[in-house]
Amino acid sequence: MVAVAAVLAAPVLAQQAPALLYTQPLAPATVTAVQEKLRQAGTYTGRADGVWGPDSQAALERFQATHGLVASTQLNPATAATLGLAPSELLAAGPGAGPAPGTPAAMATEPLNPAAVRNIQTRLKALNFYKGDVDGAWGASTQAAIERFQQGRGLQATGQLNPVTARELGLDPADLGAGR
């Protein structure tokens, strides 16, 4: 799955902590918009149909390479900006629109509140992946714990909090304050 990666605000600490990332799938209408932008840029020759497949992925990587961007499996902020897409456009269809299988993912635009971070830390601590204080502050130890958790569950170890990771933690991806 491709992800649109954006950085959510993290508290500024004496030591710079990594930013909290949370991904969610893009709706088919948004995938169509991305495909259309890639077509306009000359890297995508397929039909803009809202289905993210190998041709769309290859076009994204060609676009990134030809524009001096880091070629990745993610539609990151730099790539989206270079395509002329704002984060609000990427999330415009909203969660109710529902993604097609294998579609790119977009970032949530709201930072997680301290209560949600505390809930994540509590779950990670209960599962012996987090040893720090449950303080609601996103930091390097929380991010590293997410990555260890993902590795332990056989997930792609990105350190990013995505819907699959949230569900594996026993949290509702739509409401990180709620658990199973």
Side-chain angles (χ1 to χ4, degrees):
M1 171 178 15
V2 164
V4 172
V7 177
L8 299 178
V12 177
L13 306 172
Q15 249 182 320
Q16 188 65 15
L20 168 61
L21 299 175
Y22 182 79
T23 58
Q24 63 188 21
L26 290 176
T30 306
V31 172
T32 300
V34 172
Q35 290 170 324
E36 199 54 52
K37 291 288 189 175
L38 290 169
R39 181 197 301 252
Q40 291 168 9
T43 61
Y44 182 64
T45 58
R47 192 165 72 88
D49 57 6
V51 177
W52 194 264
D55 291 342
S56 301
Q57 183 63 43
L60 176 70
E61 291 170 10
R62 278 192 300 276
F63 178 85
Q64 290 170 324
T66 60
H67 287 83
L69 301 166
V70 175
S72 70
T73 60
Q74 296 189 351
L75 180 58
N76 55 42
T79 303
T82 304
L83 279 168
L85 294 166
S88 59
E89 291 177 272
L90 294 173
L91 298 173
T103 58
M107 287 312 289
T109 56
E110 295 297 316
L112 290 177
N113 65 43
V117 174
R118 274 191 299 278
N119 201 17
I120 293 163
Q121 290 170 332
T122 299
R123 294 293 299 142
L124 288 166
K125 192 168 206 142
L127 296 167
N128 293 316
F129 287 96
Y130 180 69
K131 305 293 183 212
D133 292 330
V134 176
D135 58 7
W138 189 267
S141 60
T142 305
Q143 181 129 0
I146 293 254
E147 192 168 344
R148 286 190 304 276
F149 173 80
Q150 290 168 324
Q151 288 170 341
R153 289 291 198 269
L155 304 172
Q156 185 178 5
T158 61
Q160 298 175 10
L161 184 65
N162 57 39
V164 172
T165 301
R167 278 191 292 276
E168 286 292 317
L169 280 169
L171 301 172
D172 178 354
D175 180 11
L176 292 172
R180 300 189 230 195

